[in-house]
Amino acid sequence: MQNLAATSPGRSMHQMKGARAHLWLESSGDWAWPGLRGGEAAAELQPPPWIPTLPRRAPAPAHGGAEDTTGPSQRALRRRYGTSLLLAALASVCVGLALDGRANFERLAGLRPTPARSTAARSLAPPPQSLPTVSPLSHDAAGSSIDSSSYSSVALHGPGSFLVYLPPGYASTAAHYPVLYLLHGNHQTADSFLQIGLQRTLDRLIAAHTIPPTIAVMIQGGPGTNDWRDRGEVGEEAYVLEVQRLIDRLLPTIPTRAARAIAGYSMGGYGAMHLALTHPRTFATVESWLGFFDGLAAPLRADHPTISRLGLRAYLYGAASDEIADPAENAPFAAQLRAAGADAHSAVYPGEHDFETLEAHLEHMLAFAGHAFSPAR
């Protein structure tokens, strides 16, 4: 890859059209391939303990959110509450003795380990911190909306955020939806998917019944280079999985592998493929748009048994005049995916490494992912 200077993310595709400088989605000047970590396990991460279980889009709390007012009346109330808890605990011991004698007493008193189910339930108790909400940003004439959420990411050790496309009819039904996760390129932003027409294209495909109603999550990468890999204390790979699990708890999703797809453009295409291969039990469909495949042969070999058993749908495409991501890499890597048991397709389209090429093939790519969500499959 050439060390090309990145053009300002604020410039639209139309401003770049026709100019040679529109090879701008990536810059290799400030990043290097991290390589494979020795002995990296493919086991999925456990959900962060702070992830909430919330219905739909949770409204912001009506109160100011302060948790500790320490006036005398409040302290008295807390003392009375603590006394009530103590009395309730003594009552539980009595009930245990009456119902099951010594066995229940030992368990309630902590002399015997509690069952694993109770331990797990305690570990998932909501933390005493504010929970993220999904807030509406805009809606269009078709009835879909774009929402946003910002929160304190454990994986990034700082702020995380994402945009969400909610399909027409979302607010008036009790339906559950499949989800497409989208990763942007290096030095880009989550709203770049809106620039290339994601909302209107999904509106059109859903209205024509080409794909089922679908939620799309545009994840905003962390600070610095966005290669969607864990680097030091900043875990962008873990961050994507963190968002995925958060979405399954914030929104009415279909929380199964078959109802999840991941895609991205340029470096986001690399990140999408990397995540699909290192977490093969999480995503059933993956797409790489003008992406890279450096260093992905090893996780593909490691995942061969899982892909053979569970299957994987993949679409890889490049641009014939791309001077950043070599389009000749798509067909060989698709062949490697097929050898591992995936249903993989590749193509090289006219165009360059730019938004114009992405916009030209967005409908096809969304239809490919949406087809995997169809009940007939």
Side-chain angles (χ1 to χ4, degrees), residues 151-202:
Y151 70 102
S152 179
S153 168
V154 174
L156 296 181
H157 300 283
S161 64
F162 50 86
L163 298 174
V164 183
Y165 166 90
L166 298 174
Y170 172 88
S172 60
T173 71
H176 286 247
Y177 301 90
V179 185
L180 171 62
Y181 293 90
L182 296 165
L183 309 181
H184 59 74
N186 196 27
H187 299 299
Q188 299 304 311
T189 56
D191 65 1
S192 60
F193 291 100
L194 301 178
Q195 294 180 42
I196 63 174
L198 179 81
Q199 184 174 17
R200 63 176 177 269
T201 305
L202 283 172

Side-chain angles (χ1 to χ4, degrees), residues 78-138:
R78 289 176 185 177
R79 285 195 296 271
R80 289 197 295 273
Y81 180 64
T83 302
S84 299
L85 287 177
L86 178 60
L87 292 175
L90 291 173
S92 298
V93 172
C94 296
V95 171
L97 288 170
L99 294 177
D100 198 19
R102 178 181 175 86
N104 258 324
F105 175 77
E106 290 180 342
R107 179 175 61 80
L108 290 167
L111 300 178
R112 297 176 61 189
T114 55
R117 181 178 178 183
S118 299
T119 302
R122 285 200 304 272
S123 69
L124 294 176
Q129 68 181 86
S130 299
L131 301 177
T133 58
V134 179
S135 304
L137 284 182
S138 65

